[in-house]
Amino acid sequence: MTIMKRIITVVSLLVLIVMAAAGQPKVVAHRGHWMAADGAQNSLASLSKSADINCYGAEFDVHSTVDNVLVVYHDNDIDGVKIQDTTYGNIQYSRLPNGEYLPTLIQYLQDGKKYPNLQLVLEIKPHKNAERDMQVCKAVVDMVDKAGLAPRVEYISFSLDACKELHRLAPDAKVAYLGGNLSPRQAKDAGLTGIDYHYSVFEQNLQWLDEARLLGVEVNVWTVDGDSLLRKFAYMLGIDIITTNQPDVLQKILEK
């Protein structure tokens, strides 16, 4: 190969890399677009409002009760009752701040069918041990498959055991780890498709953005709020997805 051809090849590769990196990050509404009017975190209303403003996805959290009912809620406790240590009957009439009853996962997924352009970013909360994590993963994946939503559900978890099990059960699904302590190479070696870390992790490990891009590992950053932080990560090369409580604000920044 002549020197000129080598130069052309290198320049072409650099152009492709820059073009790939220049794509705008996707917007995920953290616990849905709950800051909108009549919204509440992890509510059916916040799911609907995420679709209304054309977010890429809505993130939500899933716990299992002791009698194996999957519910959508962030905190470990609702109305002073620990979700994972009680039966569904004890919490089924608990209400969210907007007046909705605590949604079950099946209700949430059925509602999600109304919004075919919205990805459902499903976080499985860690349970008491790895065995329980795996049981919950199986129940979740089975429910997603039964609902016909497998192509639209992406999985995340702070439990690495859960992430590995999700990859085993749903090998075609996107699965990202939230823990912040794996490099992109370690995540890829574990069979995961992405890393989904707090923004401070990437501020301290900027080299991971280049490593992830080269390995084809998707990068999601959370929870990015406030104008200055949103602008910083919206313009940062190597960020594929931004999860925020202010999806409408981020969209306006990206439009400019």
Side-chain angles (χ1 to χ4, degrees), residues 92-198:
Q92 64 177 321
Y93 297 116
S94 295
R95 291 184 182 268
L96 305 183
N98 68 343
E100 289 183 28
Y101 286 112
L102 173 70
T104 62
L105 178 59
I106 192 166
Q107 290 169 337
Y108 199 93
L109 293 176
Q110 290 301 320
D111 228 52
K113 288 184 176 182
K114 301 175 185 176
Y115 319 114
N117 296 320
L118 184 70
Q119 288 295 103
L120 305 175
V121 184
L122 191 162
E123 177 179 344
I124 294 182
K125 304 299 284 187
H127 288 68
K128 63 182 179 181
N129 53 45
E131 181 181 3
R132 184 62 174 148
D133 280 343
M134 292 181 183
Q135 291 171 352
V136 174
C137 287
K138 178 69 163 59
V140 167
V141 171
D142 285 349
M143 188 172 290
V144 168
D145 287 345
K146 189 174 181 178
L149 287 170
R152 289 183 44 214
V153 173
E154 303 177 13
Y155 298 103
I156 57 177
S157 183
F158 279 98
S159 166
L160 186 56
D161 289 320
C163 287
K164 290 178 178 179
E165 182 68 359
L166 287 165
H167 172 63
R168 187 185 73 83
L169 294 169
D172 295 327
K174 288 186 177 182
V175 180
Y177 176 57
L178 293 166
N181 60 326
L182 294 184
S183 69
R185 167 55 68 186
Q186 290 171 318
K188 188 176 181 70
D189 288 346
L192 310 184
T193 62
I195 50 176
D196 189 349
Y197 294 163
H198 188 263

Side-chain angles (χ1 to χ4, degrees), residues 7-110:
I7 292 173
I8 291 172
T9 299
V10 171
V11 170
S12 298
L13 288 171
L14 289 173
V15 168
L16 288 172
I17 290 171
V18 171
M19 287 174 65
Q24 287 189 329
K26 299 169 184 174
V27 180
V28 168
H30 185 232
R31 305 175 198 167
H33 186 22
W34 62 272
M35 295 183 74
D38 301 320
Q41 294 183 10
N42 282 316
S43 64
L44 300 181
S46 69
L47 177 64
S48 171
K49 292 174 188 297
S50 303
D52 287 345
I53 63 171
N54 298 313
C55 289
Y56 167 77
E59 184 265 353
F60 60 102
D61 307 281
V62 175
H63 295 267
S64 177
T65 63
V66 292
D67 52 347
N68 300 315
V69 177
L70 300 168
V71 298
V72 177
Y73 196 70
H74 176 266
D75 295 349
N76 292 327
D77 300 74
I78 186 167
D79 295 339
V81 179
K82 191 168 184 180
I83 295 171
Q84 295 181 18
D85 290 345
T86 194
T87 63
Y88 176 63
N90 286 334
I91 57 174
Q92 64 177 321
Y93 297 116
S94 295
R95 291 184 182 268
L96 305 183
N98 68 343
E100 289 183 28
Y101 286 112
L102 173 70
T104 62
L105 178 59
I106 192 166
Q107 290 169 337
Y108 199 93
L109 293 176
Q110 290 301 320

